[in-house]
Amino acid sequence: MRFLRRSTTDTAAEEPESAEAVDVAGKAYTPGKGKATPKRREAEAKRRGPVAPPPTTMREAMKRNKELRKANPQTKEDRRAAAKARREAMMRGDDKALLPRDRGPVKAYVRDLVDSRRNLLGLFMPLAILVFLALLVPLPQVQSYITLLCTAMLLVMAIEGFVNGRKIAKLVREKFPKEAVSGRSLGWYAFVRASQIRRLRMPKPRLKPGDPIPN
């Protein structure tokens, strides 16, 4: 019954042959991964993890801000110094530190036009304080006089703001003919600037009343 057995010599002779077949198959065939290679941006996002949704409440925003501060520790003095540096840059009129509504040479020119003049609109905030104080006076006659005076002043201020807005829009179009200028937007910007107290204006005025406008 020796024919039922396989000799060791026959097995040894077959082993190299099978190994050679596997080696050839390995060189000739590369198995596929079964899916597309992910893009670099997708791989980086996967490593970072899922993006957290934006906060929906003020409490959630404050909590997330607190967590970010813990992850990036920064002393209170450093935060105060950074805030002070940003405020100083805004006061100087640094275009990079300004809010989007104040950026650009057009808005800087409008601010110079407003700051180089004396406007009745500068009395808007003191007038509002006067109206508030008039409500505390227990004399109806005094209240009526102050209310009438404030109403007349507000009417004059509105007319002045409208006229100055048209003049400023015209000057801006002459100086910046290639810019798409909205007269209504510039007029409102000049009105808001003129209604603020001079020392509280942001950015800080570069010109005093009566100074010539730089070219």
Side-chain angles (χ1 to χ4, degrees):
M1 301 296 289
R2 294 184 59 182
F3 65 93
L4 296 177
R5 291 185 180 182
R6 298 181 65 183
S7 63
T8 56
T9 57
D10 294 341
T11 306
E14 290 179 1
E15 284 181 357
E17 188 175 330
S18 60
E20 184 179 355
V22 171
D23 187 38
V24 173
K27 292 181 180 179
Y29 172 72
T30 302
K33 290 183 287 186
K35 58 182 180 180
T37 303
K39 297 181 180 180
R40 182 177 180 182
R41 182 168 52 187
E42 296 175 355
E44 291 178 353
K46 188 175 181 180
R47 286 197 299 268
R48 288 194 298 264
V51 179
T56 56
T57 62
M58 181 64 69
R59 181 177 296 180
E60 185 178 350
M62 293 175 64
K63 182 179 179 181
R64 187 172 300 180
N65 190 18
K66 187 177 181 180
E67 292 176 353
L68 290 175
R69 288 183 180 179
K70 287 182 179 180
N72 300 317
Q74 191 180 24
T75 63
K76 186 179 294 186
E77 289 75 13
D78 293 339
R79 291 194 296 269
R80 288 180 178 176
K84 184 179 179 181
R86 287 194 299 269
R87 180 175 177 81
E88 290 177 353
M90 291 180 66
M91 294 295 290
R92 291 195 306 268
D94 189 351
D95 202 62
K96 295 180 180 179
L98 294 176
L99 298 175
R101 67 183 182 188
D102 298 322
R103 293 175 185 169
V106 173
K107 296 297 180 65
Y109 183 64
V110 172
R111 291 195 296 270
D112 288 341
L113 289 174
V114 173
D115 297 336
S116 62
R117 302 177 181 179
R118 295 187 183 276
N119 303 285
L120 287 176
L121 279 170
L123 300 175
F124 180 80
M125 294 183 67
L127 190 65
I129 296 174
L130 180 62
V131 172
F132 176 77
L133 293 177
L135 298 176
L136 303 178
V137 177
L139 300 176
Q141 189 175 4
V142 175
Q143 291 182 356
S144 62
Y145 282 133
I146 293 178
T147 301
L148 182 62
L149 174 63
C150 292
T151 303
M153 289 289 294
L154 287 174
L155 181 61
V156 174
M157 288 179 185
I159 295 173
E160 182 193 51
F162 177 77
V163 174
N164 287 343
R166 291 179 64 88
K167 289 181 179 179
I168 289 174
K170 182 179 178 181
L171 293 173
V172 169
R173 290 191 179 98
E174 293 176 355
K175 186 173 179 61
F176 302 95
K178 296 182 180 180
E179 294 286 340
V181 175
S182 173
R184 183 178 299 177
S185 176
L186 290 181
W188 177 250
Y189 184 77
F191 181 89
V192 173
R193 177 79 175 181
S195 64
Q196 297 171 345
I197 299 176
R198 177 173 290 269
R199 67 180 60 184
L200 299 180
R201 292 175 184 176
M202 179 92 59
K204 189 176 180 180
R206 298 185 297 183
L207 303 177
K208 296 179 180 180
D211 290 348
I213 305 297
N215 295 326

